[in-house]
Amino acid sequence: DKKAVEELTANLEIKIEERTADLEESKKEVEAIHKHTRESIEYASLIQGAVVSQSEELIPHFKDSFVSWIPKDTVGGDIWLFNDLRHEDECLLMFIDCTGHGVPGAFVTMIVKAVEREVIGKILENPNMDVSPAWVMSYFNKTIKKLLRQEMEDSISNAGWDGGIIYYNKADQVLKFAGAETPLFYMTADGEFKTVKGNRYSVGYKKCAMDYEYKETIIPVKEGMKFYCTTDGYLDQNGGEKDFPFGKKRFVNIIKKIYTESMAELQNILIIEMMEWESAIK
């Protein structure tokens, strides 16, 4: 009857109002959680930005240089670290791509930073030490595996990194390089392009043997030589009509084409090329 319909309608309206109020409350809770998470990640980004080195630190050692460190997310798994060593003519550069992206990758970069401080401390304490990027890489491998308890195959954790380590002594005019699944590119003073392959072995993962001996390459440095290093953070960016990775070949071709230009010009071109590559996705 009419009265029963009116009562049912009223009850439905009450339930709808209650449900709407519940949804509004849930929405506010989700927004509050999102805001808190976003603020936490943004603050973590400030910390990570303070941990990485600054491009100005390269100036005393290299006539012309640039660094592009642009995390794809607010925080990321790539990190680069630069240190002056025992005198003004020697330095150590690390460019590292850690496990994962975003927050997980950023956590691993903090571990890398901690181990890096240990490595630098050991070098500074030993004035007679023959600094070896291969030794540094082995130290990282052993330490990360121990810190994350990855000595055993059944370990839950499985983190590590790919990248390269460069030692440069300006007085001796020598550069040493060791890479983990990462090459070093350079142009000779005569304009010849060369690639130094890295070890076919990463650092720190469960599959990485604790006692693995990394190899290093020693390069006599001459006036006019130019060196280029990158993680796959640049090379693996997808784009183009088929949404393929940018790739090593395209990167190398850019270097060969404009190697006579300044590093600042190369930096601009690499950024523009990547923007065009990513925007070409159909």
Side-chain angles (χ1 to χ4, degrees):
D1 59 15
K2 183 178 179 180
K3 185 177 181 180
V5 170
E6 290 176 349
E7 289 179 353
L8 179 60
T9 301
N11 289 335
L12 286 173
E13 289 175 350
I14 291 172
K15 288 185 179 297
I16 290 172
E17 289 176 359
E18 291 175 348
R19 181 59 176 163
T20 301
D22 289 342
L23 289 173
E24 285 296 324
E25 186 64 28
S26 297
K27 181 182 177 181
K28 290 178 180 179
E29 291 179 2
V30 171
E31 289 176 346
I33 292 171
H34 177 75
K35 182 175 182 291
H36 175 72
T37 302
R38 172 52 55 187
E39 289 175 348
S40 296
I41 294 175
E42 288 175 350
Y43 190 72
S45 175
L46 295 178
I47 296 173
Q48 189 177 47
V51 164
V52 300
S53 298
Q54 303 301 310
S55 57
E56 293 80 9
E57 298 175 44
L58 299 172
I59 295 174
H61 298 275
F62 304 98
K63 288 184 178 180
D64 193 12
S65 63
F66 79 89
V67 177
S68 288
W69 181 73
I70 309 172
K72 189 172 184 178
D73 301 306
T74 307
V75 292
D78 279 17
I79 186 172
W80 76 279
L81 303 165
F82 182 84
N83 286 275
D84 296 317
L85 296 179
R86 297 158 299 190
H87 54 77
E88 63 182 9
D89 286 326
E90 65 171 5
C91 59
L92 195 68
L93 168 66
M94 306 178 188
F95 55 104
I96 291 171
D97 176 15
C98 298
T99 303
H101 302 281
V103 174
F107 266 94
V108 182
T109 66
M110 294 299 102
I111 295 174
V112 167
K113 179 63 180 181
V115 178
E116 176 241 19
R117 298 322 303 159
E118 287 187 17
V119 168
I120 299 303
K122 289 182 180 295
I123 294 173
L124 296 180
E125 289 170 1
N126 189 345
N128 298 317
M129 178 187 225
D130 182 19
V131 181
S132 165
W135 170 82
V136 174
M137 204 162 275
S138 295
Y139 187 91
F140 264 99
N141 186 49
K142 293 174 183 177
T143 306
I144 289 177
K145 288 178 72 68
K146 288 179 180 177
L147 282 173
L148 299 180
R149 301 177 182 179
Q150 294 177 170
E151 302 100 319
M152 308 300 292
E153 284 294 326
D154 59 354
S155 170
I156 297 175
S157 172
N158 187 25
W161 56 263
D162 294 341
I165 299 176
I166 294 172
Y167 168 80
Y168 176 52
N169 190 311
K170 185 162 57 174
D172 294 341
Q173 294 185 303
V174 64
L175 181 146
K176 301 177 184 178
F177 170 74
E181 295 282 5
T182 304
L184 173 69
F185 309 107
Y186 71 96
M187 297 294 302
T188 68
D190 299 325
E192 182 182 358
F193 181 84
K194 292 191 175 183
T195 300
V196 181
K197 294 182 178 180
N199 295 268
R200 299 183 66 180
Y201 216 77
S202 298
V203 172
Y205 295 96
K206 287 195 296 184
K207 68 178 182 180
C208 300
M210 182 71 80
D211 58 352
Y212 181 77
E213 294 185 6
Y214 296 88
K215 308 298 182 184
E216 73 182 28
T217 300
I218 300 175
I219 304 171
V221 176
K222 296 181 180 180
E223 183 75 22
M225 294 178 71
K226 293 187 176 182
F227 295 86
Y228 311 89
C229 51
T230 178
T231 66
D232 61 11
Y234 186 88
L235 306 179
D236 284 354
Q237 295 304 312
N238 283 7
E241 295 184 357
K242 298 183 179 180
D243 196 18
F244 285 168
F246 190 82
K248 185 194 303 181
K249 183 177 180 179
R250 190 170 281 102
F251 175 78
V252 167
N253 285 339
I254 293 173
I255 292 174
K256 289 180 177 179
K257 185 177 180 180
I258 64 163
Y259 77 92
T260 57
E261 301 290 339
S262 69
M263 286 294 186
E265 180 63 19
L266 174 59
Q267 181 181 27
N268 290 334
I269 290 174
L270 286 173
I271 292 173
I272 291 170
E273 288 282 344
M274 182 57 68
M275 291 174 61
E276 292 178 349
W277 178 251
E278 293 179 323
S279 64
I281 298 176
K282 291 186 176 181

